[in-house]
Amino acid sequence: MSAHIVDLNTEVALKSAVFRDLPRDQVLPLIRDAKQREVERGSTIFYQGETAHSLFIILDGWVKLYRLSPCGVEAVVSVLSREDAFGEASAMPGEVYSTGAEAVADSHIMQIDAQSLWSAIKENPQLCHALLGASVSRNRALVDQLEQLKSHTGAQRIADFLLGLCKTEHGACTVVLPYDKGLIASWLGLKPETLSRAFKRLQPYGVSISKNRATIKSVERLIRFAEEDPSSSRKDAPLKSSSFTQS
Amino acid sequence: MSAHIVDLNTEVALKSAVFRDLPRDQVLPLIRDAKQREVERGSTIFYQGETAHSLFIILDGWVKLYRLSPCGVEAVVSVLSREDAFGEASAMPGEVYSTGAEAVADSHIMQIDAQSLWSAIKENPQLCHALLGASVSRNRALVDQLEQLKSHTGAQRIADFLLGLCKTEHGACTVVLPYDKGLIASWLGLKPETLSRAFKRLQPYGVSISKNRATIKSVERLIRFAEEDPSSSRKDAPLKSSSFTQS
DNA sequence: CGGGCCCTTGACGTTAGTCAAAGAGCGTGG
DNA sequence: CCACGCTCTTTGACTAACGTCAAGGGCCCG
């Protein structure tokens, strides 16, 4: 009961997916040893292919994980924020990072040294189980993304993205785009131009964008669109010049 | 030294990514308790969304992991064979399978009950670490696939697929397609018709297909094509009638 | 006011999907 | 042995989706 007063950053780290199911007193020593870093927008946290030296937890800000293809094209694999962990590969000695990591906003991150992590794992098997859980759930996220890419159109992926930002499950909703459109495009596997046009295609379904704010007239309708079979794009739905509050 | 004579199936299981780094005597009891099942082509091993009740290891045959979108479209996420493990989610109590699993050829699989797995993990933390390793490497495979989908054309993905089947890294090579083209198409995120046409586009790069056999004239040339920036599809590359051992 | 930067628009080309039909292999039964 | 139906694969013609290139518009900041 002595050191139950911990700073706010530690509090955030304790809530991360990796640590939240573990008893506090097992995690605290690990966190105390960890470095806390301020990284500014645009700076690289690690490179793809580098030996995995640390596990990271985001205390505040935004970080993208991306992949560079041999010809230099970038594909964003994840966009993470507060309480998310990344660099789980560091739990396996000798492993390398399969993606690069870069701050896309000024961020505050916690960096846990791989050696400390390994010794903590050795003393405390539950930690390994927690990491496994984190890895399994990242897995699911990747599979979700694969499904999106393989079976949905760009416009549907945007719809899904907006719905993910939405708190309610019915009625109307206004959401703020959490980062710039270029990054959203890359995350959804589109070019900025295509994203821009795809946003327009959502208008007939009651979505309008202005600046970084999206207004959804009916969440149900958008869900219906997002889940629709792309091949059933017969002209029934779009209804072009009609009925809508166009300016 | 008593029971070092184990049957061939056990031998295969011991070589799987999950178990190969563990001491034999820690794994053997787990394997002995496991069920061995014959599953025939087309039969479902588990459904997406089902509670994860077992870990599986393929002793022989082929299994696909796939995802069904709400509208019923199937997206193949992995195609696995001998020595591959799947259903790692079963290591986490309460977790559900994020994909379905179906045998795509008559197969022989080992099924390890989740409860046995958990108690084995409890007694032997190294096992948990091994599972984490398996999960991290599946992760990498998923990220690879995402990169392929986001930054390469269909023809390039096929090239990459063929190169993965190729043993040599230079010169000529003939490979046998391991399963039918419909499945290859789905795995690469293409329709069968598109796959068929995309194969043709590889002809100028020295690839020809007949039946289920692909002949690659020059692995280097194919690698160059697979890594090329899709946007540089100006007609410079094809270099039609020149310098190369064209028949 | 001017120069970046991000985002949007337009015109156009490429890539992949759709629908429909025809060919190729294969087992069955006559 | 051959016709038959079955499934897998290929083709063709057309459409939709997405990318590319180039030009403009809004916005922030010096």
Side-chain angles (χ1 to χ4, degrees), chain A residues 97-171:
Chain A
Y97 293 124
S98 59
T99 63
E102 180 188 315
V104 291
D106 292 347
S107 304
H108 190 191
I109 61 181
M110 177 173 286
Q111 175 166 8
I112 297 168
D113 187 62
Q115 259 94 17
S116 327
L117 188 62
W118 301 337
S119 55
I121 288 173
K122 209 164 283 170
E123 285 174 24
N124 173 13
Q126 280 181 66
L127 175 56
C128 185
H129 205 249
L131 285 165
L132 178 57
S135 179
V136 165
S137 73
R138 176 174 303 291
N139 244 305
R140 201 183 1 180
L142 291 172
V143 168
D144 282 352
Q145 212 189 332
L146 274 173
E147 180 197 321
Q148 284 287 329
L149 281 172
K150 284 190 178 171
S151 359
H152 299 297
T153 68
Q156 288 179 305
R157 300 200 293 271
I158 296 174
D160 197 71
F161 174 77
L162 292 177
L163 289 167
L165 295 172
C166 236
K167 274 145 286 285
T168 63
E169 288 181 1
H170 36 258

Side-chain angles (χ1 to χ4, degrees), chain A residues 41 180-182 192-193 196-197 200 209 230-231:
Chain A
R41 180 190 160 120
D180 66 34
K181 295 188 183 172
E193 298 93 323
S196 186
R197 286 188 256 261
K200 299 225 153 144
I209 312 287
S231 72

Side-chain angles (χ1 to χ4, degrees), chain B residues 232-243:
Chain B
S232 69
S233 62
R234 303 79 69 108
K235 302 286 174 186
D236 20 272
L239 56 105
K240 43 186 177 185
S241 63
S242 72
S243 61

